[in-house]
Amino acid sequence: MAGPYASAGPKASEAGPDPDALAGTRLPHLAGPAAALRQVLAAHAVRHCPHIVEIGGAGLPITGFLTHTPDSVTVIDPKIPVHEADSLNGAPCHLRHVAAKLQEVALAPPGPYALVLLGLSLKPFGRRGAVSPELLALAAGATVLVIDYALELERAQGQIGALTATRTDAPVIDLSLTIHDEALRAAGFDRRRFLVYGTA
């Protein structure tokens, strides 16, 4: 078994780069241990997907939570340290952490793929809107779509409708979460919704 819940850790010579160093700096309200629950749930939802694209993820990318052996994982966030590798969890995998805005990256993942949007809070870039036609096409084409957002975040409230409208299927998971973490509560982000479309 691989991933953060493995019964025995890898030998130091096999461990590879420090996962925390690859994650970058966590936002203060995501620094508590309870915040990682979202990544654990997302990793479970995408466990059958050979290709995974995460938009966002600096501080807590899904990479370190995956327990299966996907063919490719791409994480895009302007604040994530750049990283590229050819293995994950002891198996071949094209792994990329791309330090860029979504609007700067051309994405054409092979199928079937999962799209992960944890902490939905996209921003426009130049003349390109936050929820671009390219992002909507990715959401529509994803075999599994995972979205987590804070109910009190106005930006997320303005984006969730367009993303869920791309789906003709009903969510297989629709959870209301309250994460009892003081930093999340202080930021107003403790009450959340977690959605999974596709085969979870």
Side-chain angles (χ1 to χ4, degrees), residues 29 34 57-59 83 108 117 124 160-161 167 169 182:
H29 64 274
H83 176 68
L117 297 158
I160 190 64
R167 305 299 298 200
D169 52 338
E182 191 51 46

Side-chain angles (χ1 to χ4, degrees), residues 7-8 12 18 21 49 55 58 87 90 95 100 107-108 119 156-157 166 173:
S7 57
D18 177 6
C49 294
I55 309 301
S87 67
L95 171 62
L107 283 174
Q157 290 290 348
T166 66
I173 298 174

Side-chain angles (χ1 to χ4, degrees), residues 172-194:
V172 293
I173 298 174
D174 188 345
L175 293 176
S176 295
L177 300 173
T178 300
I179 300 178
H180 294 287
D181 177 274
E182 191 51 46
L184 273 170
R185 187 180 302 116
F189 300 153
D190 56 323
R191 293 192 319 111
R192 314 186 69 82
R193 188 179 184 200
F194 185 90

Side-chain angles (χ1 to χ4, degrees), residues 71-177:
D71 295 329
S72 72
V73 178
T74 302
V75 181
I76 300 167
D77 190 294
K79 296 178 182 176
I80 199 165
V82 173
H83 176 68
E84 191 156 352
D86 57 10
S87 67
L88 178 67
N89 296 336
C93 175
H94 184 205
L95 171 62
R96 294 188 309 150
H97 289 182
V98 181
K101 291 274 194 180
L102 170 63
Q103 296 92 333
E104 298 177 282
V105 180
L107 283 174
Y113 67 89
L115 177 63
V116 179
L117 297 158
L118 301 181
L120 178 65
S121 179
L122 301 168
K123 295 179 182 176
F125 182 70
R127 295 177 181 240
R128 303 198 62 188
V131 182
S132 65
E134 294 83 2
L135 175 60
L136 295 177
L138 277 174
T143 302
V144 176
L145 172 64
V146 181
I147 305 174
D148 154 80
Y149 65 99
L151 295 177
E152 303 301 321
L153 184 59
E154 287 185 26
R155 187 182 301 133
Q157 290 290 348
Q159 296 169 355
I160 190 64
L163 287 164
T164 58
T166 66
R167 305 299 298 200
T168 57
D169 52 338
V172 293
I173 298 174
D174 188 345
L175 293 176
S176 295
L177 300 173

